[in-house]
């Protein structure tokens, strides 16, 4: 069975991958400002992909998961700054 790869699916999967990578980067970096910046950029990308994939609930779930991981990245960076 073939699966079609549309722009919305690709964008939302990319948002998820970028969110996960930014969260992993936040836990491994020594500079918390970079973690906050990476999380903010990943959040922006996630919001754009959420807007692009707004007509399909499966795509929206992927984008929302990416946004969640990006927010985790921001929170880890802020925790490192203020702790």
């Amino acid at each position: 069975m073939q699966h079609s790869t549309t722009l919305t699916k690709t964008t939302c999967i990319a948002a998820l991958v970028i969110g996960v990578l930014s969260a992993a980067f936040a836990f491994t970096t020594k500079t918390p400002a970079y973690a906050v910046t990476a999380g903010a950029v990943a959040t922006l990308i996630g919001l754009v992909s959420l807007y692009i994939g707004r007509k399909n609930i499966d795509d929206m779930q992927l984008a929302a998961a990416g946004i969640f991981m990006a927010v985790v990245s921001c929170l880890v960076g802020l925790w490192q700054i203020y702790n």
Side-chain angles (χ1 to χ4, degrees):
M1 184 171 155
Q2 275 188 322
H3 295 283
S4 64
T5 306
T6 61
L7 176 66
T8 57
K9 176 89 52 196
T10 305
T11 306
C12 293
I13 289 173
L16 175 62
V17 170
I18 290 170
V20 169
L21 289 177
S22 70
F25 177 72
F27 282 108
T28 59
T29 187
K30 302 287 185 206
T31 310
Y34 292 156
V36 174
T37 304
V41 169
T43 302
L44 183 64
I45 291 170
L47 289 173
V48 168
S49 68
L50 188 67
Y51 178 76
I52 291 171
R54 69 188 180 277
K55 294 182 181 180
N56 188 349
I57 191 70
D58 295 331
D59 295 341
M60 287 181 68
Q61 287 176 346
L62 290 170
I67 292 170
F68 174 76
M69 295 306 290
V71 169
V72 167
S73 173
C74 285
L75 291 176
V76 167
L78 290 173
W79 179 71
Q80 289 175 351
I81 287 173
Y82 293 112
N83 198 2

